[in-house]
Amino acid sequence: MQAARQNLEELPGEDIGHVPSDDARILVVDDLKSSRMMIGAVLAAAGFTNLDYAGDGIEALEKIREIKPDLLVLDIVMPRMDGFDVCRKVRQELGHDFPILVQSGITNADERVRVFDEGATDLVSKPINAAELISRVRVHVEHRRLLADLRQYQRRMEDELRTVEAMQVSLMKSDEDVAAIAEPRGARIASHYQPSNQLGGDLWQIFPIDDDCFGLLMVDLSGHGVTAAINAFRLHMLIESLTDDRGNPAQWLATLAERLYQLLPVEHFATGFYGVYDRRNRSMVYASGAAPTALVLRNDGRNEELDPSGLLLGVSDDVSYDARTVMFEPGDRLFLYSDALTEDFKNVENSLSETDLANIARQALLDDGLNGFPDRVKAQVFATPEDEMRDDITLILMEAR
Amino acid sequence: MDYTIDTSDNCATVKIQGVLTFDDHEKFKGVVQSISTEQAEEIVINLAETKMIDSAGIGMLLLANDKAMKAGKTVKLAGVSGHVAKVVELSKIDQLIPVI
């Protein structure tokens, strides 16, 4: 990289006597030994010393597989296999990034176009002009390095995103931990969390409150990407630290909202649902700050929508929420979900209503109840894996016993 | 989205057309900029021709409101209907930005 930068910065003819060396591996292919030697000498004089040679197309392909050069300087008219065939085979095997610089005596315009059609990156005419050959070799070597750097950078970023994704998933409680809290307190829960491929800011949590009650929380931070993910980690720490008033949803959500106001920049906020379930009378007291409408799927076939209205979390330090109550019968289910399931701003006509989603959820429950429920809902809602990866997805289904 | 700004007396009306979503961040900076530079002390953001708004769009309105307040100005929302009205009702942002 450094050597190549030096080359570019150096003006021709300025630095006399010293030529910076470049370790790019170049394979020179020509059936005439005198041509090979001449090209090799020109390149060596320009600092390219990592040179290999081949006398025809077949030998060239063998060498390419063996030594994996950075650049090919290729003749067209050769015995056994010509340069056109080499171009095609190289493109098949190595893709479009690998630079092929064709050097040829062909002057016919159609033939010159054919050189590019067969996959050459660039063309220099014979007889070789040394300065032109060197300039073009440098351009392509540099280009290849930049591309390789970019690819490497992209791979590293993707690896890091996947690592953060795994960390986000690990913030959520395992199915076993969820069951250990919910089941002694009269409820079964199926849950699913999946960060988007660009990271996002969904978070859900379940807290034991006493022997009869547990709290169920779902929060969605606005925005996507690294910022939302970092805020999700801060939110997680905040949630863990707010241990007072967990049995009082309106008060607890207000405290969370006020603390988020101090934490988030002015244009960022969150939506949230916090409900406390009590097994003694199968009641849930809940508070909502503009969370997606929670659905109650009654055992007798009716659907109910829980009032989701309430100030966004993190937009004010003076906020209060209404405490609302919903009663359950055995077998009734509460369905919480992130807006990724209903909203589709790219294709507005694909957005789902609460009724649509309730019907999808009911259908998914018919097959095997809570087992595999999230996967069946996702399969119904998202047409393609790409749609599924656009935003964080959280699904929580609670069944009262 | 597209927007127009009309100033009369002491009031600047910003009309937002189309959808106000994540992709409009760059354009909306122009609105925020104008709020700072306008002489008018009252800013009315008219959403009558705004078809849809997402969470990023809400964030932009909050940002505009914050910038105005810091400059000693007031922001009000007008023409709220359809999808936008649903979002305002759900999120209660009328508690922060008055709706007229």
Side-chain angles (χ1 to χ4, degrees), chain B residues 39-97:
Chain B
Q39 293 295 318
E41 283 176 9
E42 191 181 323
I43 319 288
V44 173
I45 300 181
N46 189 316
L47 301 170
E49 291 167 42
T50 310
K51 290 193 188 73
M52 285 192 92
I53 187 164
D54 71 353
S55 59
I58 296 279
M60 291 180 231
L61 294 180
L62 292 169
L63 188 67
N65 185 51
D66 185 69
K67 283 273 185 293
M69 287 205 317
K70 284 177 179 154
K73 302 173 181 183
T74 60
V75 171
K76 289 173 180 163
L77 301 180
V80 170
S81 65
H83 179 260
V84 178
K86 266 178 74 178
V87 172
V88 169
E89 166 60 23
L90 173 68
S91 62
K92 302 283 183 202
I93 58 162
D94 52 336
Q95 290 181 17
L96 299 173
I97 315 175

Coordinates of all heavy atoms in Angstrom, one line a residue, chain B residues 39-97:
Chain B
Q39 N -37.0 35.6 10.4 CA -37.3 36.7 11.4 C -38.5 36.3 12.3 O -38.5 36.7 13.4 CB -37.5 38.0 10.7 CG -36.3 38.6 10.0 CD -35.2 39.0 10.9 OE1 -35.5 39.6 12.0 NE2 -34.0 38.7 10.6
A40 N -39.4 35.6 11.7 CA -40.7 35.3 12.3 C -40.5 34.6 13.6 O -39.6 33.7 13.7 CB -41.6 34.5 11.4
E41 N -41.3 34.9 14.6 CA -41.1 34.2 15.9 C -42.1 33.1 16.1 O -41.9 32.2 17.0 CB -41.4 35.3 17.1 CG -40.1 36.2 17.2 CD -40.4 37.2 18.3 OE1 -41.4 37.2 19.0 OE2 -39.5 38.1 18.4
E42 N -43.1 33.0 15.2 CA -44.0 31.9 15.3 C -43.8 31.0 14.0 O -43.9 31.5 12.9 CB -45.4 32.4 15.4 CG -46.4 31.3 15.7 CD -47.8 31.8 15.8 OE1 -48.1 32.9 16.3 OE2 -48.7 31.0 15.3
I43 N -43.6 29.8 14.2 CA -43.4 28.8 13.1 C -44.6 27.9 13.1 O -44.9 27.2 14.1 CB -42.1 28.0 13.2 CG1 -40.9 28.8 13.7 CG2 -41.8 27.2 12.0 CD1 -40.4 29.8 12.8
V44 N -45.3 27.8 11.9 CA -46.4 26.8 11.8 C -45.9 25.8 10.8 O -45.6 26.1 9.7 CB -47.7 27.5 11.4 CG1 -48.7 26.4 11.1 CG2 -48.2 28.5 12.4
I45 N -45.8 24.5 11.3 CA -45.5 23.4 10.3 C -46.8 22.8 9.9 O -47.6 22.2 10.7 CB -44.6 22.4 11.0 CG1 -43.3 23.1 11.4 CG2 -44.3 21.2 10.0 CD1 -42.3 22.1 12.1
N46 N -47.2 23.0 8.6 CA -48.4 22.6 8.1 C -48.3 21.2 7.5 O -47.5 21.0 6.5 CB -49.0 23.6 7.0 CG -50.4 23.2 6.6 OD1 -50.7 22.1 6.4 ND2 -51.2 24.3 6.5
L47 N -49.0 20.2 8.0 CA -48.8 18.8 7.6 C -50.0 18.3 6.8 O -50.2 17.1 6.7 CB -48.6 17.9 8.8 CG -47.3 18.3 9.7 CD1 -47.3 17.5 11.0 CD2 -46.1 18.0 8.9
A48 N -50.8 19.3 6.3 CA -52.0 18.9 5.6 C -51.7 18.0 4.4 O -52.5 17.1 4.0 CB -52.8 20.1 5.2
E49 N -50.6 18.3 3.7 CA -50.2 17.5 2.6 C -49.2 16.4 2.9 O -48.5 15.9 1.9 CB -49.8 18.4 1.4 CG -51.0 19.3 0.9 CD -50.5 20.4 0.0 OE1 -49.6 20.2 -0.8 OE2 -51.0 21.5 0.2
T50 N -49.0 16.1 4.1 CA -48.0 15.1 4.5 C -48.8 13.8 4.6 O -49.7 13.6 5.5 CB -47.4 15.4 5.9 OG1 -46.9 16.8 5.8 CG2 -46.2 14.5 6.1
K51 N -48.4 12.8 3.8 CA -49.2 11.6 3.7 C -48.9 10.6 4.8 O -49.7 9.9 5.4 CB -49.0 10.9 2.4 CG -49.6 11.6 1.2 CD -49.6 10.7 0.0 CE -50.1 11.5 -1.3 NZ -49.0 12.4 -1.7
M52 N -47.5 10.5 5.1 CA -47.1 9.5 6.2 C -45.9 10.1 6.9 O -45.2 10.9 6.4 CB -46.7 8.2 5.5 CG -47.8 7.3 5.0 SD -47.2 5.7 4.7 CE -47.4 4.9 6.2
I53 N -45.8 9.7 8.2 CA -44.6 10.1 9.0 C -44.2 8.8 9.7 O -45.0 8.1 10.2 CB -45.0 11.2 9.9 CG1 -43.8 11.8 10.6 CG2 -46.1 10.8 10.9 CD1 -44.1 13.2 11.2
D54 N -42.9 8.6 9.8 CA -42.3 7.5 10.6 C -41.6 8.1 11.8 O -41.6 9.3 12.1 CB -41.4 6.6 9.8 CG -40.1 7.2 9.4 OD1 -39.9 8.4 9.7 OD2 -39.2 6.5 8.8
S55 N -40.9 7.2 12.6 CA -40.3 7.6 13.8 C -39.2 8.6 13.6 O -39.1 9.6 14.3 CB -39.8 6.4 14.6 OG -38.8 5.7 13.9
A56 N -38.5 8.5 12.4 CA -37.5 9.5 12.1 C -38.1 10.8 11.8 O -37.6 11.9 12.2 CB -36.7 9.0 10.9
G57 N -39.3 10.8 11.2 CA -40.0 12.0 10.9 C -40.5 12.7 12.2 O -40.3 14.0 12.3
I58 N -40.9 12.0 13.1 CA -41.3 12.5 14.4 C -40.1 13.2 15.1 O -40.1 14.3 15.6 CB -41.8 11.4 15.4 CG1 -43.1 10.8 14.9 CG2 -42.0 12.0 16.8 CD1 -44.3 11.6 15.2
G59 N -38.9 12.5 15.0 CA -37.7 13.0 15.5 C -37.3 14.3 14.9 O -36.8 15.2 15.6
M60 N -37.6 14.5 13.6 CA -37.3 15.7 12.9 C -38.1 16.9 13.4 O -37.7 18.0 13.6 CB -37.4 15.6 11.4 CG -36.4 14.7 10.8 SD -36.7 14.5 9.0 CE -36.7 12.7 8.8
L61 N -39.4 16.6 13.7 CA -40.3 17.6 14.2 C -39.8 18.0 15.6 O -39.8 19.2 16.0 CB -41.8 17.1 14.3 CG -42.4 16.8 13.0 CD1 -43.9 16.3 13.2 CD2 -42.5 18.0 12.1
L62 N -39.4 17.0 16.4 CA -38.9 17.3 17.7 C -37.6 18.2 17.7 O -37.5 19.1 18.5 CB -38.6 16.0 18.5 CG -39.8 15.2 18.9 CD1 -39.3 13.8 19.4 CD2 -40.6 15.9 20.0
L63 N -36.8 17.9 16.7 CA -35.6 18.7 16.5 C -35.9 20.1 16.1 O -35.3 21.1 16.7 CB -34.7 18.0 15.4 CG -33.3 18.6 15.2 CD1 -32.5 18.3 16.4 CD2 -32.7 17.9 14.0
A64 N -36.8 20.3 15.2 CA -37.2 21.6 14.8 C -37.8 22.4 16.0 O -37.5 23.6 16.2 CB -38.3 21.5 13.7
N65 N -38.6 21.7 16.8 CA -39.2 22.4 17.9 C -38.1 22.8 18.9 O -38.1 23.9 19.5 CB -40.2 21.4 18.6 CG -40.9 22.0 19.8 OD1 -41.5 23.1 19.6 ND2 -40.9 21.3 20.9
D66 N -37.1 21.9 19.1 CA -36.0 22.2 20.1 C -35.2 23.4 19.6 O -34.9 24.3 20.4 CB -35.2 21.0 20.2 CG -34.1 21.1 21.2 OD1 -34.4 21.1 22.4 OD2 -32.9 21.2 20.8
K67 N -34.9 23.4 18.3 CA -34.1 24.5 17.7 C -34.9 25.9 17.9 O -34.3 26.9 18.2 CB -33.8 24.3 16.3 CG -32.7 23.3 16.0 CD -31.3 24.0 16.0 CE -30.2 23.0 15.7 NZ -29.9 22.0 16.7
A68 N -36.2 25.8 17.6 CA -37.0 27.0 17.7 C -37.0 27.5 19.1 O -36.8 28.7 19.4 CB -38.4 26.7 17.2
M69 N -37.3 26.6 20.1 CA -37.4 27.0 21.5 C -36.1 27.7 21.9 O -36.1 28.7 22.6 CB -37.7 25.8 22.4 CG -39.1 25.4 22.2 SD -39.9 24.5 23.6 CE -38.6 23.4 24.1
K70 N -34.9 27.1 21.5 CA -33.6 27.7 21.9 C -33.4 29.0 21.3 O -32.6 29.8 21.8 CB -32.5 26.7 21.5 CG -32.5 25.5 22.5 CD -31.4 24.5 22.1 CE -31.4 23.4 23.2 NZ -30.9 22.1 22.6
A71 N -34.1 29.3 20.2 CA -34.0 30.6 19.5 C -35.1 31.6 20.0 O -35.3 32.6 19.4 CB -34.0 30.5 18.0
G72 N -35.9 31.1 21.0 CA -36.9 32.0 21.6 C -38.2 32.0 20.7 O -38.9 33.0 20.7
K73 N -38.3 31.0 19.8 CA -39.5 31.0 19.0 C -40.4 29.8 19.3 O -40.1 29.0 20.1 CB -39.0 30.8 17.5 CG -38.1 31.9 17.0 CD -37.5 31.6 15.7 CE -36.5 32.7 15.3 NZ -36.0 32.5 14.0
T74 N -41.6 29.9 18.8 CA -42.6 28.8 19.0 C -42.9 28.0 17.7 O -42.9 28.6 16.7 CB -43.9 29.3 19.6 OG1 -44.5 30.2 18.7 CG2 -43.7 30.0 20.9
V75 N -43.1 26.7 17.9 CA -43.5 25.9 16.7 C -44.9 25.3 17.0 O -45.2 24.9 18.2 CB -42.5 24.7 16.5 CG1 -43.1 23.8 15.5 CG2 -41.2 25.3 16.0
K76 N -45.8 25.4 16.0 CA -47.1 24.7 16.1 C -47.3 23.8 14.9 O -46.7 24.1 13.9 CB -48.2 25.8 16.2 CG -48.2 26.5 17.5 CD -49.2 27.6 17.5 CE -49.2 28.4 18.9 NZ -49.8 29.7 18.8
L77 N -48.1 22.8 15.1 CA -48.4 21.9 14.0 C -49.8 22.2 13.5 O -50.7 22.4 14.3 CB -48.3 20.4 14.4 CG -47.0 19.9 15.0 CD1 -47.1 18.4 15.4 CD2 -45.9 20.1 14.0
A78 N -50.0 22.2 12.2 CA -51.3 22.5 11.7 C -51.7 21.5 10.6 O -50.8 20.8 10.1 CB -51.4 23.9 11.1
G79 N -53.0 21.3 10.3 CA -53.4 20.5 9.2 C -53.2 19.0 9.4 O -53.0 18.2 8.5
V80 N -53.1 18.6 10.7 CA -52.9 17.2 11.0 C -54.1 16.4 10.7 O -55.2 16.6 11.2 CB -52.5 17.2 12.5 CG1 -52.5 15.7 13.0 CG2 -51.2 17.9 12.8
S81 N -53.9 15.4 9.8 CA -55.0 14.5 9.5 C -54.5 13.2 9.0 O -53.3 13.0 8.8 CB -55.9 15.1 8.4 OG -55.1 15.2 7.2
G82 N -55.4 12.2 8.8 CA -55.0 10.9 8.3 C -53.9 10.2 9.1 O -54.0 10.2 10.4
H83 N -52.9 9.6 8.5 CA -51.9 8.8 9.2 C -51.2 9.7 10.2 O -50.8 9.2 11.3 CB -50.9 8.3 8.1 CG -49.8 7.5 8.7 ND1 -48.5 8.0 8.9 CD2 -49.8 6.2 9.2 CE1 -47.8 7.1 9.5 NE2 -48.5 6.0 9.7
V84 N -50.9 11.0 9.8 CA -50.2 11.8 10.7 C -51.0 12.1 12.0 O -50.4 12.0 13.1 CB -49.9 13.2 10.0 CG1 -49.2 14.1 11.0 CG2 -49.0 13.0 8.8
A85 N -52.3 12.2 11.9 CA -53.1 12.4 13.0 C -53.1 11.2 13.9 O -53.0 11.3 15.2 CB -54.6 12.7 12.6
K86 N -53.1 10.0 13.3 CA -53.0 8.8 14.1 C -51.7 8.7 14.9 O -51.7 8.4 16.1 CB -53.1 7.6 13.2 CG -54.5 7.0 13.0 CD -54.5 5.8 12.1 CE -54.0 4.6 12.7 NZ -54.1 3.4 11.7
V87 N -50.6 9.1 14.3 CA -49.3 9.1 14.9 C -49.2 10.1 16.1 O -48.7 9.8 17.1 CB -48.2 9.3 13.9 CG1 -46.8 9.4 14.6 CG2 -48.1 8.1 12.9
V88 N -49.8 11.3 15.8 CA -49.8 12.3 16.8 C -50.6 11.9 18.0 O -50.2 12.0 19.2 CB -50.3 13.7 16.3 CG1 -50.6 14.7 17.4 CG2 -49.3 14.2 15.3
E89 N -51.8 11.3 17.7 CA -52.7 10.8 18.8 C -52.0 9.7 19.6 O -52.0 9.7 20.9 CB -54.0 10.3 18.2 CG -54.9 9.5 19.0 CD -55.4 10.2 20.3 OE1 -55.4 11.5 20.2 OE2 -55.7 9.6 21.3
L90 N -51.3 8.8 18.9 CA -50.7 7.7 19.6 C -49.5 8.2 20.5 O -49.4 7.8 21.6 CB -50.2 6.7 18.5 CG -49.3 5.5 19.0 CD1 -50.2 4.6 19.8 CD2 -48.7 4.8 17.8
S91 N -48.7 9.1 19.9 CA -47.4 9.4 20.6 C -47.6 10.6 21.5 O -46.7 10.9 22.2 CB -46.4 9.8 19.5 OG -46.8 10.9 18.8
K92 N -48.7 11.3 21.4 CA -49.0 12.4 22.3 C -48.0 13.5 22.2 O -47.7 14.3 23.2 CB -49.1 11.9 23.8 CG -50.1 10.9 24.1 CD -51.5 11.4 24.2 CE -52.5 10.3 24.6 NZ -53.8 10.7 24.1
I93 N -47.4 13.7 21.0 CA -46.4 14.8 20.9 C -47.1 16.1 20.9 O -46.4 17.2 21.0 CB -45.5 14.7 19.6 CG1 -46.3 14.6 18.3 CG2 -44.6 13.5 19.7 CD1 -45.5 15.0 17.1
D94 N -48.4 16.2 20.9 CA -49.1 17.5 21.1 C -48.9 18.0 22.5 O -49.0 19.2 22.7 CB -50.6 17.4 20.8 CG -51.3 16.2 21.5 OD1 -50.6 15.3 21.9 OD2 -52.5 16.3 21.8
Q95 N -48.4 17.2 23.4 CA -48.0 17.7 24.7 C -46.7 18.5 24.6 O -46.5 19.3 25.5 CB -47.8 16.5 25.7 CG -49.0 15.8 26.1 CD -48.8 14.6 27.0 OE1 -47.7 14.6 27.7 NE2 -49.7 13.7 27.2
L96 N -46.0 18.3 23.6 CA -44.7 19.1 23.4 C -44.8 20.2 22.4 O -44.3 21.2 22.5 CB -43.6 18.1 23.0 CG -43.2 17.0 24.0 CD1 -42.2 16.1 23.3 CD2 -42.6 17.6 25.3
I97 N -45.5 19.8 21.3 CA -45.7 20.8 20.2 C -47.2 21.0 20.0 O -47.9 20.0 19.6 CB -45.1 20.2 18.9 CG1 -43.7 19.6 19.1 CG2 -45.0 21.4 17.8 CD1 -43.1 19.0 17.9

